[in-house]
Amino acid sequence: MTDLTRRQALLLTLATGLPLVAGSGRAQAQSAQKVTVALDWTVNTNHIGLFVARDKGFYREAGLEVDILPYSDTGAGTLVANRVADFGINGTISLFTQRTAGADLKGVYAVVQSETGRVVFNAARNEIVSPRSLDGLIYGGFGSAWENALISTIIRHDGGKGNFETVTLGTSAYEALANGSVDFTLEVSTWEGVEAELKGVKQRSFVYADYGVPDEHTTLISSSEAYLQANPKPAADFVQATRRGYQFAVDHPDDAATLLIAANKDALTNPALIHASLKALADDHYLRSQSGAIGTMDPAKMEAIGDYLFASGILRDPDGKLVARRPDFGSYFRNDYLS
């Protein structure tokens, strides 16, 4: 666990210094319960349910005053684990790695029901016919151990050796892919993938689950055990109101996209991307599965991705050592706030 940065301390001050908002329509109105939620990245369509729930009044109806903290250089999981934020958007992989390393984190809501990531490359690369074609090529990466295990698995599952060169570029990987500086990268199909389509960029891709990597929820909302134990009712109210927000986004994607844009005019300057991305999230059953599940974390999926991370040597204990025993992955999440 890392010490609080100055930015975290500032966020903590802001989060605890907001004025109370009294409920309306009562002679003796009670103050709303304040809740803070941290974003994992700059505002995008993965966050749609939070903004809908806030601006449509779902949180207010639940007796909550929710402050959506802006993305910072400190990860949402770290902010939550250190009690700077009550909830945070984070990836399933981040939840598993951070919790195993000792962070106080617990998943409470699945933003997406299946993996949104994929291996992507320029469509003109006719020599890339399957994942084993990636052997010996240059990968534009983001600097995590998960990526190396993921790509190696995909290549080996297709009969290759799993050997490739990595150049860590962060989000510059997409420009590097476009200009041919790297051969392939990873992208979120419902964001970078949609953006590429809108720009007319021709790409081909490989889906992780088709090549030996367990499907996962990709993006979750997590809290800390400390917060959940101390605030059981506000926690349940927040999760249920948040689900109403995502449900509205699925049922009314155009209205939800317009709301998100209006709430973030300075950050979201490409309305076509927001509308197209949210359409993909809704139509392709990411926000709500074909069976109707929304927000629920599938225990089988969570256990499977945990087993994969454990077997791949990605999970480390608080001392930075590889864990020798399989953790109890069932304790990493809970669905009961959705009932």
mmCIF file of all heavy atoms in Angstrom, residues 225-256:
data_model
loop_
_atom_site.group_PDB
_atom_site.id
_atom_site.type_symbol
_atom_site.label_atom_id
_atom_site.label_comp_id
_atom_site.label_asym_id
_atom_site.label_seq_id
_atom_site.Cartn_x
_atom_site.Cartn_y
_atom_site.Cartn_z
ATOM 1 N N GLU A 225 -13.553 -2.877 2.126
ATOM 2 C CA GLU A 225 -14.252 -3.622 3.181
ATOM 3 C C GLU A 225 -14.591 -2.677 4.342
ATOM 4 O O GLU A 225 -15.676 -2.758 4.926
ATOM 5 C CB GLU A 225 -13.368 -4.762 3.689
ATOM 6 C CG GLU A 225 -13.081 -5.843 2.665
ATOM 7 C CD GLU A 225 -14.132 -6.928 2.647
ATOM 8 O OE1 GLU A 225 -15.243 -6.687 3.162
ATOM 9 O OE2 GLU A 225 -13.848 -8.005 2.102
ATOM 10 N N ALA A 226 -13.670 -1.769 4.634
ATOM 11 C CA ALA A 226 -13.894 -0.841 5.745
ATOM 12 C C ALA A 226 -15.133 0.012 5.507
ATOM 13 O O ALA A 226 -15.961 0.190 6.405
ATOM 14 C CB ALA A 226 -12.661 0.054 5.928
ATOM 15 N N TYR A 227 -15.273 0.540 4.283
ATOM 16 C CA TYR A 227 -16.445 1.372 3.993
ATOM 17 C C TYR A 227 -17.724 0.534 4.000
ATOM 18 O O TYR A 227 -18.745 0.955 4.564
ATOM 19 C CB TYR A 227 -16.293 2.054 2.634
ATOM 20 C CG TYR A 227 -17.505 2.893 2.278
ATOM 21 C CD1 TYR A 227 -17.634 4.193 2.762
ATOM 22 C CD2 TYR A 227 -18.544 2.373 1.508
ATOM 23 C CE1 TYR A 227 -18.765 4.951 2.486
ATOM 24 C CE2 TYR A 227 -19.679 3.129 1.218
ATOM 25 C CZ TYR A 227 -19.776 4.413 1.713
ATOM 26 O OH TYR A 227 -20.904 5.156 1.440
ATOM 27 N N LEU A 228 -17.684 -0.624 3.389
ATOM 28 C CA LEU A 228 -18.875 -1.461 3.287
ATOM 29 C C LEU A 228 -19.370 -1.898 4.657
ATOM 30 O O LEU A 228 -20.583 -1.926 4.915
ATOM 31 C CB LEU A 228 -18.582 -2.685 2.420
ATOM 32 C CG LEU A 228 -18.221 -2.393 0.954
ATOM 33 C CD1 LEU A 228 -17.826 -3.681 0.235
ATOM 34 C CD2 LEU A 228 -19.375 -1.707 0.231
ATOM 35 N N GLN A 229 -18.450 -2.227 5.552
ATOM 36 C CA GLN A 229 -18.850 -2.665 6.892
ATOM 37 C C GLN A 229 -19.425 -1.505 7.707
ATOM 38 O O GLN A 229 -20.358 -1.684 8.496
ATOM 39 C CB GLN A 229 -17.651 -3.275 7.613
ATOM 40 C CG GLN A 229 -17.203 -4.607 7.031
ATOM 41 C CD GLN A 229 -15.942 -5.147 7.680
ATOM 42 O OE1 GLN A 229 -15.482 -4.641 8.699
ATOM 43 N NE2 GLN A 229 -15.370 -6.192 7.073
ATOM 44 N N ALA A 230 -18.885 -0.320 7.488
ATOM 45 C CA ALA A 230 -19.337 0.837 8.261
ATOM 46 C C ALA A 230 -20.587 1.483 7.672
ATOM 47 O O ALA A 230 -21.308 2.203 8.388
ATOM 48 C CB ALA A 230 -18.216 1.876 8.354
ATOM 49 N N ASN A 231 -20.874 1.227 6.408
ATOM 50 C CA ASN A 231 -21.978 1.910 5.723
ATOM 51 C C ASN A 231 -22.799 0.938 4.867
ATOM 52 O O ASN A 231 -22.921 1.117 3.654
ATOM 53 C CB ASN A 231 -21.424 3.019 4.829
ATOM 54 C CG ASN A 231 -20.603 4.034 5.572
ATOM 55 O OD1 ASN A 231 -21.128 4.978 6.154
ATOM 56 N ND2 ASN A 231 -19.280 3.839 5.558
ATOM 57 N N PRO A 232 -23.377 -0.081 5.467
ATOM 58 C CA PRO A 232 -24.079 -1.094 4.671
ATOM 59 C C PRO A 232 -25.262 -0.548 3.865
ATOM 60 O O PRO A 232 -25.431 -0.901 2.698
ATOM 61 C CB PRO A 232 -24.529 -2.124 5.709
ATOM 62 C CG PRO A 232 -24.539 -1.386 7.015
ATOM 63 C CD PRO A 232 -23.417 -0.405 6.917
ATOM 64 N N LYS A 233 -26.071 0.330 4.477
ATOM 65 C CA LYS A 233 -27.241 0.840 3.737
ATOM 66 C C LYS A 233 -26.841 1.817 2.630
ATOM 67 O O LYS A 233 -27.310 1.677 1.492
ATOM 68 C CB LYS A 233 -28.244 1.486 4.682
ATOM 69 C CG LYS A 233 -29.540 1.883 3.962
ATOM 70 C CD LYS A 233 -30.573 2.478 4.900
ATOM 71 C CE LYS A 233 -31.898 2.704 4.177
ATOM 72 N NZ LYS A 233 -31.763 3.513 2.956
ATOM 73 N N PRO A 234 -26.007 2.820 2.902
ATOM 74 C CA PRO A 234 -25.581 3.693 1.800
ATOM 75 C C PRO A 234 -24.892 2.921 0.672
ATOM 76 O O PRO A 234 -25.069 3.262 -0.500
ATOM 77 C CB PRO A 234 -24.612 4.665 2.475
ATOM 78 C CG PRO A 234 -25.060 4.712 3.901
ATOM 79 C CD PRO A 234 -25.510 3.308 4.203
ATOM 80 N N ALA A 235 -24.143 1.882 1.026
ATOM 81 C CA ALA A 235 -23.468 1.084 -0.005
ATOM 82 C C ALA A 235 -24.494 0.401 -0.896
ATOM 83 O O ALA A 235 -24.390 0.442 -2.132
ATOM 84 C CB ALA A 235 -22.552 0.054 0.645
ATOM 85 N N ALA A 236 -25.493 -0.222 -0.289
ATOM 86 C CA ALA A 236 -26.532 -0.897 -1.070
ATOM 87 C C ALA A 236 -27.329 0.108 -1.890
ATOM 88 O O ALA A 236 -27.644 -0.141 -3.063
ATOM 89 C CB ALA A 236 -27.459 -1.678 -0.140
ATOM 90 N N ASP A 237 -27.643 1.240 -1.284
ATOM 91 C CA ASP A 237 -28.403 2.269 -2.001
ATOM 92 C C ASP A 237 -27.621 2.785 -3.203
ATOM 93 O O ASP A 237 -28.186 3.015 -4.281
ATOM 94 C CB ASP A 237 -28.737 3.434 -1.063
ATOM 95 C CG ASP A 237 -29.753 3.061 0.004
ATOM 96 O OD1 ASP A 237 -30.464 2.049 -0.176
ATOM 97 O OD2 ASP A 237 -29.832 3.778 1.021
ATOM 98 N N PHE A 238 -26.313 2.966 -3.035
ATOM 99 C CA PHE A 238 -25.473 3.457 -4.134
ATOM 100 C C PHE A 238 -25.423 2.457 -5.276
ATOM 101 O O PHE A 238 -25.605 2.814 -6.446
ATOM 102 C CB PHE A 238 -24.049 3.727 -3.640
ATOM 103 C CG PHE A 238 -23.085 4.025 -4.744
ATOM 104 C CD1 PHE A 238 -23.022 5.288 -5.321
ATOM 105 C CD2 PHE A 238 -22.249 3.028 -5.245
ATOM 106 C CE1 PHE A 238 -22.149 5.561 -6.359
ATOM 107 C CE2 PHE A 238 -21.368 3.287 -6.280
ATOM 108 C CZ PHE A 238 -21.311 4.562 -6.845
ATOM 109 N N VAL A 239 -25.205 1.197 -4.954
ATOM 110 C CA VAL A 239 -25.102 0.172 -6.000
ATOM 111 C C VAL A 239 -26.425 0.044 -6.753
ATOM 112 O O VAL A 239 -26.447 -0.036 -7.990
ATOM 113 C CB VAL A 239 -24.681 -1.179 -5.391
ATOM 114 C CG1 VAL A 239 -24.762 -2.296 -6.436
ATOM 115 C CG2 VAL A 239 -23.258 -1.089 -4.840
ATOM 116 N N GLN A 240 -27.536 0.044 -6.038
ATOM 117 C CA GLN A 240 -28.833 -0.114 -6.695
ATOM 118 C C GLN A 240 -29.203 1.103 -7.542
ATOM 119 O O GLN A 240 -29.747 0.967 -8.646
ATOM 120 C CB GLN A 240 -29.909 -0.404 -5.648
ATOM 121 C CG GLN A 240 -29.743 -1.778 -5.019
ATOM 122 C CD GLN A 240 -30.646 -2.010 -3.819
ATOM 123 O OE1 GLN A 240 -31.665 -1.352 -3.661
ATOM 124 N NE2 GLN A 240 -30.271 -2.950 -2.967
ATOM 125 N N ALA A 241 -28.891 2.301 -7.064
ATOM 126 C CA ALA A 241 -29.158 3.501 -7.856
ATOM 127 C C ALA A 241 -28.252 3.555 -9.078
ATOM 128 O O ALA A 241 -28.666 3.997 -10.157
ATOM 129 C CB ALA A 241 -28.959 4.747 -6.998
ATOM 130 N N THR A 242 -27.022 3.080 -8.910
ATOM 131 C CA THR A 242 -26.089 3.024 -10.038
ATOM 132 C C THR A 242 -26.607 2.068 -11.102
ATOM 133 O O THR A 242 -26.541 2.360 -12.304
ATOM 134 C CB THR A 242 -24.692 2.596 -9.561
ATOM 135 O OG1 THR A 242 -24.182 3.579 -8.642
ATOM 136 C CG2 THR A 242 -23.732 2.455 -10.726
ATOM 137 N N ARG A 243 -27.134 0.927 -10.664
ATOM 138 C CA ARG A 243 -27.703 -0.011 -11.632
ATOM 139 C C ARG A 243 -28.872 0.636 -12.380
ATOM 140 O O ARG A 243 -29.019 0.410 -13.592
ATOM 141 C CB ARG A 243 -28.179 -1.296 -10.947
ATOM 142 C CG ARG A 243 -28.798 -2.275 -11.949
ATOM 143 C CD ARG A 243 -29.020 -3.654 -11.369
ATOM 144 N NE ARG A 243 -29.901 -3.642 -10.217
ATOM 145 C CZ ARG A 243 -30.289 -4.732 -9.568
ATOM 146 N NH1 ARG A 243 -29.852 -5.924 -9.959
ATOM 147 N NH2 ARG A 243 -31.094 -4.660 -8.525
ATOM 148 N N ARG A 244 -29.676 1.435 -11.710
ATOM 149 C CA ARG A 244 -30.755 2.151 -12.402
ATOM 150 C C ARG A 244 -30.174 3.053 -13.494
ATOM 151 O O ARG A 244 -30.758 3.182 -14.578
ATOM 152 C CB ARG A 244 -31.545 3.008 -11.408
ATOM 153 C CG ARG A 244 -32.495 2.262 -10.505
ATOM 154 C CD ARG A 244 -33.319 3.244 -9.668
ATOM 155 N NE ARG A 244 -34.215 4.049 -10.513
ATOM 156 C CZ ARG A 244 -34.876 5.117 -10.082
ATOM 157 N NH1 ARG A 244 -34.723 5.534 -8.822
ATOM 158 N NH2 ARG A 244 -35.677 5.790 -10.901
ATOM 159 N N GLY A 245 -29.029 3.659 -13.205
ATOM 160 C CA GLY A 245 -28.390 4.515 -14.188
ATOM 161 C C GLY A 245 -27.948 3.753 -15.414
ATOM 162 O O GLY A 245 -28.182 4.181 -16.561
ATOM 163 N N TYR A 246 -27.316 2.608 -15.203
ATOM 164 C CA TYR A 246 -26.877 1.787 -16.337
ATOM 165 C C TYR A 246 -28.069 1.185 -17.077
ATOM 166 O O TYR A 246 -28.043 1.055 -18.301
ATOM 167 C CB TYR A 246 -25.913 0.696 -15.865
ATOM 168 C CG TYR A 246 -24.511 1.214 -15.624
ATOM 169 C CD1 TYR A 246 -24.036 1.457 -14.345
ATOM 170 C CD2 TYR A 246 -23.654 1.472 -16.701
ATOM 171 C CE1 TYR A 246 -22.754 1.948 -14.120
ATOM 172 C CE2 TYR A 246 -22.371 1.956 -16.491
ATOM 173 C CZ TYR A 246 -21.927 2.190 -15.201
ATOM 174 O OH TYR A 246 -20.657 2.686 -14.995
ATOM 175 N N GLN A 247 -29.102 0.824 -16.343
ATOM 176 C CA GLN A 247 -30.309 0.291 -16.971
ATOM 177 C C GLN A 247 -30.928 1.341 -17.892
ATOM 178 O O GLN A 247 -31.341 1.044 -19.017
ATOM 179 C CB GLN A 247 -31.331 -0.112 -15.902
ATOM 180 C CG GLN A 247 -32.616 -0.708 -16.461
ATOM 181 C CD GLN A 247 -32.429 -2.118 -16.973
ATOM 182 O OE1 GLN A 247 -32.033 -3.001 -16.218
ATOM 183 N NE2 GLN A 247 -32.683 -2.338 -18.249
ATOM 184 N N PHE A 248 -30.982 2.581 -17.427
ATOM 185 C CA PHE A 248 -31.509 3.663 -18.251
ATOM 186 C C PHE A 248 -30.662 3.819 -19.511
ATOM 187 O O PHE A 248 -31.192 4.034 -20.610
ATOM 188 C CB PHE A 248 -31.522 4.966 -17.456
ATOM 189 C CG PHE A 248 -32.065 6.142 -18.228
ATOM 190 C CD1 PHE A 248 -33.412 6.472 -18.157
ATOM 191 C CD2 PHE A 248 -31.233 6.926 -19.033
ATOM 192 C CE1 PHE A 248 -33.921 7.550 -18.875
ATOM 193 C CE2 PHE A 248 -31.734 8.005 -19.765
ATOM 194 C CZ PHE A 248 -33.076 8.311 -19.680
ATOM 195 N N ALA A 249 -29.347 3.700 -19.367
ATOM 196 C CA ALA A 249 -28.452 3.854 -20.512
ATOM 197 C C ALA A 249 -28.685 2.768 -21.556
ATOM 198 O O ALA A 249 -28.599 3.020 -22.763
ATOM 199 C CB ALA A 249 -27.001 3.840 -20.052
ATOM 200 N N VAL A 250 -28.983 1.563 -21.105
ATOM 201 C CA VAL A 250 -29.272 0.468 -22.032
ATOM 202 C C VAL A 250 -30.598 0.710 -22.750
ATOM 203 O O VAL A 250 -30.710 0.513 -23.969
ATOM 204 C CB VAL A 250 -29.312 -0.880 -21.292
ATOM 205 C CG1 VAL A 250 -29.778 -1.992 -22.230
ATOM 206 C CG2 VAL A 250 -27.931 -1.228 -20.737
ATOM 207 N N ASP A 251 -31.598 1.134 -22.010
ATOM 208 C CA ASP A 251 -32.936 1.332 -22.569
ATOM 209 C C ASP A 251 -33.061 2.615 -23.387
ATOM 210 O O ASP A 251 -33.874 2.689 -24.310
ATOM 211 C CB ASP A 251 -33.972 1.338 -21.440
ATOM 212 C CG ASP A 251 -34.083 -0.002 -20.734
ATOM 213 O OD1 ASP A 251 -33.734 -1.032 -21.354
ATOM 214 O OD2 ASP A 251 -34.508 -0.019 -19.560
ATOM 215 N N HIS A 252 -32.248 3.612 -23.052
ATOM 216 C CA HIS A 252 -32.332 4.912 -23.730
ATOM 217 C C HIS A 252 -30.923 5.423 -24.057
ATOM 218 O O HIS A 252 -30.490 6.455 -23.522
ATOM 219 C CB HIS A 252 -33.060 5.925 -22.840
ATOM 220 C CG HIS A 252 -34.371 5.442 -22.302
ATOM 221 N ND1 HIS A 252 -35.532 5.431 -23.064
ATOM 222 C CD2 HIS A 252 -34.704 4.939 -21.084
ATOM 223 C CE1 HIS A 252 -36.522 4.954 -22.320
ATOM 224 N NE2 HIS A 252 -36.048 4.646 -21.131
ATOM 225 N N PRO A 253 -30.194 4.727 -24.905
ATOM 226 C CA PRO A 253 -28.792 5.087 -25.148
ATOM 227 C C PRO A 253 -28.581 6.493 -25.698
ATOM 228 O O PRO A 253 -27.624 7.161 -25.300
ATOM 229 C CB PRO A 253 -28.314 4.013 -26.138
ATOM 230 C CG PRO A 253 -29.559 3.449 -26.737
ATOM 231 C CD PRO A 253 -30.599 3.535 -25.683
ATOM 232 N N ASP A 254 -29.439 6.948 -26.579
ATOM 233 C CA ASP A 254 -29.267 8.298 -27.130
ATOM 234 C C ASP A 254 -29.465 9.365 -26.062
ATOM 235 O O ASP A 254 -28.690 10.333 -25.972
ATOM 236 C CB ASP A 254 -30.232 8.535 -28.292
ATOM 237 C CG ASP A 254 -29.801 7.833 -29.568
ATOM 238 O OD1 ASP A 254 -28.590 7.533 -29.688
ATOM 239 O OD2 ASP A 254 -30.655 7.579 -30.428
ATOM 240 N N ASP A 255 -30.499 9.202 -25.241
ATOM 241 C CA ASP A 255 -30.744 10.159 -24.164
ATOM 242 C C ASP A 255 -29.592 10.149 -23.155
ATOM 243 O O ASP A 255 -29.156 11.201 -22.673
ATOM 244 C CB ASP A 255 -32.055 9.841 -23.442
ATOM 245 C CG ASP A 255 -33.281 10.102 -24.307
ATOM 246 O OD1 ASP A 255 -33.149 10.821 -25.313
ATOM 247 O OD2 ASP A 255 -34.364 9.575 -23.974
ATOM 248 N N ALA A 256 -29.105 8.945 -22.842
ATOM 249 C CA ALA A 256 -28.009 8.833 -21.874
ATOM 250 C C ALA A 256 -26.728 9.456 -22.426
ATOM 251 O O ALA A 256 -25.997 10.139 -21.702
ATOM 252 C CB ALA A 256 -27.775 7.359 -21.528
#
